[in-house]
Every structure is written in structure tokens, then in C-alpha cells.
Amino acid sequence: MIKKSYPLNNICTYRTGGKAEYYSRVRTDAELKDALSFAHKNKLEIIILGGGYNVLIHDKGVKGMVINTAGLNVYIIRDGETVYAGAGVSIDSLAEWACENGLRGLEDMSGIPGTVGGAVKMNAGAFTQEIKDTAAEIDMMSTDGRIYQAKGADAGFGYRRADNLKGVVLGAKFHLKNADSEELKKRRSEILAKRTDKQPLDYPSCGSVFKRPEGNFAGTLIEQCGLKGYRIGGAIVSEKHANFILNIENATSSDIYNLICHVRETVKEKTGITLEQEVRLIGF
């Protein structure tokens, strides 16, 4: 179903942002194709949202068609050491499922927010693992409704990107390895404990705001510049992890965006390093 003037603040994990001119939450390939067709017929820009993680939506909203794929193809199929997961499956749920079923290769991604579709498009990763390590084949739909398959080796995976995946992820096939499920569940518990210990999870955020610069860490640079606790409006640089910006008191997207800019400019001025955003800006 296609809706007009649909509020996006409850979809974005920052809990900020305006309305979509047009909006559709799709659950099947056919629904996705219909939404894309509507956008083309009406000459609308297409914006794909997964779970609403890692995005900041403008306070004035978004022109065009926002397609939410968080409910798209929510299923997991196992064939030996190969697992197929639909785009709408949460990456944390997939990691948990793999651990429970004695399959190694995704356990370090435990606790990562977002869906398989978004994780594939940005080559999500944590600790020792990235999507590119196990993604063998990706099913895609081009914006003109054509379904095609991309090999993982041809996806153009790099740090937090997949340059050659054009269109919308429908699902992906992962090649994992048989392993002891108890050992995997222990590793998952360790990863989740590390996240709880190091990351601020009590307030709305997008996760890491900036990508890791080569040979350094964004959080370390931000902390060295004395920016922990720096606040604009209702947005603040986390005292717990400086690469997190939190919505602690009814922040607007403008508050968060201005704080992102201030952090980047300050780090550039004091260290000479230009931080690259990991958070995706929509409508800015």
C-alpha cells in the first residue's frame, strides 16, 4: 500500500525527521516491484530504507518515494553450510540463528542493528568479520523492476560499501562453516557483552557516526579533541563512546546534523584528518 505524507520519525532510530511525500512498506518482491513502478510512472526519486538504522532524515521530510524493506522476505533457509536470508531479516537475528544451528561466520556481528539488506549494501562488519567474508550470492532488483543475481566476489565490497550493487537487495546467500554451537553461543555472548560495555544503548542513535579512518579510530580522535559531552540542542556526543551522537532530549535532525558538522570540522582543524560519515543523510 502506498501512503502520502507519511511520518518517518518512528522509522529512523534517531526518532527524528519529517514526512515522506510517498511511502510504501513492502513484504514481497511483487510489492516492491509495484512500488518501484509507481515511482517511475510518477517520476519520483526513490529512497530505500531498511530498519531505519544508520540514517538521519531531514526535519522537513523527503521528496519522492520512500520504500521500506524492513519486512521484505523475512525468512532463513539452510542448505548444509549455505544459508539464504531475506533482506528484511535482522542481521542480529541471523547471527543468533547461525550460532544456534552450529554455523560459524556471522557470530561477531551479534548485536549489529539493521537488516540483511542494509548490511549487504554497506558491507557491515564488527570485530573480525564483515559481510564480504561470507556473502556468496546476492539477489537484487533494479529500480526498473528487473531481478538479477550478483556474485559476492563481484559486489565491489570495500570498507562499509558495496560499489557494484545497484538497486534493492532481496536476499543473500552466505557460505558458513560447521562448528560447535555452544562455542559459537559463548562467542556471541562475549560480543554482546562488549557492545553493552562500550556502546551507549540507552538513548536513540544511529550507531557509529563516522567511518574508521585508516590507521586510527574515529572515537579516539573525537575524544582527543575534547568533544565528549559536547552538545547542540538535544543532541550530544556520547561520554561513553565518542563516535556515537545521541538524541537525549527531543533533538531535531538539525541538532544532530550540526553536531556532526562541528565534530568533523573540529577533528579536521586539530588533527588534519577528515572524518567520513558512516551515517546516511536523507533529504539534506
Side-chain angles (χ1 to χ4, degrees), residues 34-56:
D34 287 344
L36 292 170
S37 177
F38 177 88
H40 277 292
K41 288 178 181 177
N42 291 277
K43 299 180 180 179
L44 300 171
E45 181 182 356
I46 298 167
I47 303 98
I48 305 298
L49 280 183
Y53 301 93
N54 206 43
V55 298
L56 181 64

Side-chain angles (χ1 to χ4, degrees), residues 76 78 80-81 83 93-104 176-182 184-185:
I76 300 171
R78 177 178 183 175
E81 293 183 315
V83 173
S93 294
L94 178 60
E96 181 180 27
W97 184 94
C99 290
E100 291 284 348
N101 285 273
L103 291 169
R104 183 188 305 279
L176 306 177
K177 296 292 183 182
N178 287 319
D180 181 76
S181 62
E182 293 305 315
L184 293 175
K185 286 188 282 187

Side-chain angles (χ1 to χ4, degrees), residues 5-283:
S5 192
Y6 190 85
L8 298 173
N9 58 310
N10 287 327
I11 296 172
C12 169
T13 58
Y14 260 131
R15 297 295 181 255
T16 64
K19 298 179 179 181
E21 182 180 10
Y22 292 93
Y23 173 87
S24 181
R25 180 181 171 91
V26 298
R27 292 170 175 79
T28 65
D29 294 356
E31 289 180 0
L32 173 60
K33 188 171 183 178
D34 287 344
L36 292 170
S37 177
F38 177 88
H40 277 292
K41 288 178 181 177
N42 291 277
K43 299 180 180 179
L44 300 171
E45 181 182 356
I46 298 167
I47 303 98
I48 305 298
L49 280 183
Y53 301 93
N54 206 43
V55 298
L56 181 64
I57 298 167
H58 200 288
D59 292 316
K60 293 182 179 179
V62 184
K63 289 288 187 183
M65 165 68 87
V66 173
I67 301 176
N68 186 336
T69 61
L72 178 62
N73 299 334
V74 184
Y75 57 84
I76 300 171
I77 299 172
R78 177 178 183 175
D79 182 9
E81 293 183 315
T82 299
V83 173
Y84 185 91
V89 174
S90 83
I91 194 68
D92 179 59
S93 294
L94 178 60
E96 181 180 27
W97 184 94
C99 290
E100 291 284 348
N101 285 273
L103 291 169
R104 183 188 305 279
L106 297 171
E107 58 279 359
D108 281 13
M109 297 191 197
S110 296
I112 288 182
T115 59
V116 166
V120 169
K121 283 295 287 270
M122 69 170 292
N123 185 30
F127 300 99
T128 66
Q129 296 171 350
E130 291 181 293
I131 288 291
K132 70 178 179 64
D133 300 331
T134 53
E137 297 174 352
I138 302 107
D139 289 333
M140 302 288 300
M141 183 179 290
S142 62
T143 56
D144 63 2
R146 179 178 58 88
I147 292 177
Y148 71 97
Q149 190 177 80
K151 299 291 185 183
D154 300 325
F157 284 128
Y159 179 64
R160 300 298 177 264
R161 68 181 196 276
D163 294 336
N164 299 334
L165 297 181
K166 309 300 182 184
V168 186
V169 176
L170 302 176
K173 186 181 291 184
F174 299 91
H175 283 170
L176 306 177
K177 296 292 183 182
N178 287 319
D180 181 76
S181 62
E182 293 305 315
E183 289 184 7
L184 293 175
K185 286 188 282 187
K186 181 181 177 181
R187 174 63 175 174
R188 172 175 165 81
S189 295
E190 292 170 353
I191 294 298
L192 292 174
K194 286 181 180 180
R195 287 186 174 277
T196 300
D197 181 58
K198 294 182 178 180
Q199 297 181 1
L201 304 175
D202 296 334
Y203 292 96
S205 79
C206 72
S208 296
V209 174
F210 297 101
K211 296 180 180 180
R212 185 183 71 241
E214 187 173 354
N216 215 315
F217 294 95
T220 300
L221 292 170
I222 296 166
E223 182 175 358
Q224 288 173 350
C225 291
L227 289 168
K228 272 190 171 182
Y230 191 92
R231 178 171 176 171
I232 294 178
I236 192 170
V237 177
S238 171
E239 295 276 7
K240 192 172 186 179
H241 192 312
N243 197 22
F244 280 63
I245 289 177
L246 311 178
N247 176 356
I248 63 166
E249 191 177 3
N250 299 317
T252 64
S253 291
S254 293
D255 291 340
I256 297 165
Y257 177 74
N258 290 335
L259 187 50
I260 290 171
C261 293
H262 177 78
V263 168
R264 183 172 51 235
E265 290 164 5
T266 302
V267 171
K268 174 65 174 177
E269 179 183 342
K270 292 189 174 184
T271 71
I273 296 173
T274 301
L275 294 177
E276 184 181 352
Q277 288 163 206
E278 186 168 319
V279 60
R280 175 184 166 206
L281 303 179
I282 299 178

